[in-house]
Amino acid sequence: QVQLVESGGGLVQPGGSLRLSCAASRSIFSIYAMGWYRQAPGKERELVATIARGGTTTYADSVKGRFTIPRDNAKNTVYLQMNSLKPEDTAVYYCNAHDLVLGVSYDYWGQGTQVTVSS
């Protein structure tokens, strides 16, 4: 089990930056992958970025070159650094922990944090 708590959302102007934080209740060092997803009104939840246990990162095409997903194992925290924000980035952002234990997958989610990009 792992509890996730997101923070850092808010209102930002187009072109601005925000950093989201996801604090885990236990060590994330051994978790298979951590990720960020988002869901805009009327749309499906979509993958934004992931970081695997070994450090490999993946990004949605829509955020490549603008977002990064650094991880601080000592603080049990994953971040989503968002730069050059666009109105279409407006969504509720969710942190995810995807674990694999003895061949069984587990997914844990945070409560979400709202990001609004608007002038």
Side-chain angles (χ1 to χ4, degrees), residues 7-13 17-20 82 85 89-93 112-118:
S7 60
L11 173 65
V12 63
Q13 292 189 340
S17 297
L18 274 179
R19 188 179 78 160
L20 306 182
M82 305 185 291
L85 282 160
D89 294 318
T90 296
V92 178
Y93 283 70
T113 185
Q114 177 71 46
V115 171
T116 302
V117 184
S118 175

Side-chain angles (χ1 to χ4, degrees), residues 20-95:
L20 306 182
S21 299
C22 172
S25 60
R26 67 168 177 86
S27 173
I28 63 172
F29 180 77
S30 61
I31 292 178
Y32 189 79
M34 300 290 296
W36 288 93
Y37 290 70
R38 67 186 180 187
Q39 187 166 20
K43 294 189 176 182
E44 298 280 322
R45 188 174 296 190
E46 64 175 0
L47 172 70
V48 177
T50 65
I51 182 165
R53 187 164 52 203
T56 301
T57 56
T58 61
Y59 297 93
D61 287 343
S62 59
V63 307
K64 280 181 182 176
R66 300 188 298 122
F67 292 11
T68 59
I69 183 169
R71 180 180 67 194
D72 188 334
N73 290 334
K75 295 183 178 180
N76 298 332
T77 299
V78 174
Y79 304 94
L80 185 67
Q81 178 64 46
M82 305 185 291
N83 300 324
S84 302
L85 282 160
K86 305 175 181 180
E88 51 263 44
D89 294 318
T90 296
V92 178
Y93 283 70
Y94 296 91
C95 181

